[in-house]
Amino acid sequence: MGVIHSVNVSENGGVPKLPVRAATIRFEGVEGDHNKFRTEKREGDPGRAVNLFSLERIEQLQAEGHAIEVGSTGENLTIEGVDWDELEVGIMLKVGEATVELSEPCAPCWKIGDSFKGKNFSRIDHDKEVGWSRWSARVVDEGLVSVGDNVLVYAAGGSD
């Protein structure tokens, strides 16, 4: 079991996303967070409603000398205590009152370059560094998420 270390939003989109105490996760995404996949695309992309990243991975990247901080790579939820190496498409996470399903490793882009030495944002590219990427997720059940809430991980297609 893990815990929500930080809930992060950006009203205008982009990075960094700034911490808030709590937010409601809706099918379209996190309330108070501008998401271009939700608002600028005609039909939206429900598989990219929420972005998650690991506090442990952030701390490991900081130890490597990267300038990464919580929220600086655009994650909505920074999670502590979940084995990031075990995550895969279809895994379900109960985060606070909400449930999300991992839809794909989140491909990094140049906008998060300032978080990395030499702007090497590919350091968290799943195709190059398996187990280091952020994750995009679709919302299965809406609900409130708060700092300190438990995170339960369920196998793809069911519960553990």
Side-chain angles (χ1 to χ4, degrees):
M1 177 175 15
V3 65
I4 296 175
H5 173 80
S6 187
V7 179
N8 312 298
V9 299
S10 175
E11 288 183 16
N12 299 317
V15 293
K17 292 194 185 294
L18 302 176
V20 294
R21 180 82 187 118
T24 300
I25 293 181
R26 300 279 183 214
F27 292 119
E28 302 81 25
V30 180
E31 281 189 355
D33 183 58
H34 175 78
N35 179 327
K36 76 176 186 174
F37 295 103
R38 176 175 68 238
T39 57
E40 294 175 10
K41 306 238 183 228
R42 197 172 9 168
E43 296 176 14
D45 185 347
R48 296 183 180 184
V50 180
N51 189 285
L52 305 100
F53 202 27
S54 162
L55 178 64
E56 290 85 359
R57 289 295 194 242
I58 291 170
E59 291 171 342
Q60 291 168 320
L61 291 162
Q62 288 171 336
E64 293 176 9
H66 298 285
I68 190 171
E69 296 289 338
V70 168
S72 72
T73 62
E75 79 271 13
N76 297 117
L77 300 177
T78 311
I79 297 174
E80 182 177 7
V82 168
D83 186 350
W84 224 244
D85 288 325
E86 297 298 317
L87 298 183
E88 60 186 41
V89 171
I91 293 280
M92 308 273 279
L93 290 94
K94 177 77 170 168
V95 289
E97 296 175 354
T99 303
V100 300
E101 178 184 9
L102 300 182
S103 54
E104 64 183 335
C106 184
C109 76
W110 65 269
K111 293 178 184 177
I112 63 169
D114 288 341
S115 292
F116 300 93
K117 292 188 297 189
K119 297 193 182 286
N120 182 19
F121 57 87
S122 66
R123 176 62 183 85
I124 61 170
D125 185 331
H126 182 76
D127 293 333
K128 296 177 182 179
E129 302 278 352
V130 174
W132 284 84
S133 66
R134 300 160 297 155
W135 279 91
S136 293
R138 74 180 33 83
V139 178
V140 176
D141 293 311
E142 297 179 320
L144 182 68
V145 294
S146 302
V147 172
D149 282 350
N150 289 333
V151 176
L152 304 175
V153 180
Y154 300 96
S159 60
D160 280 342

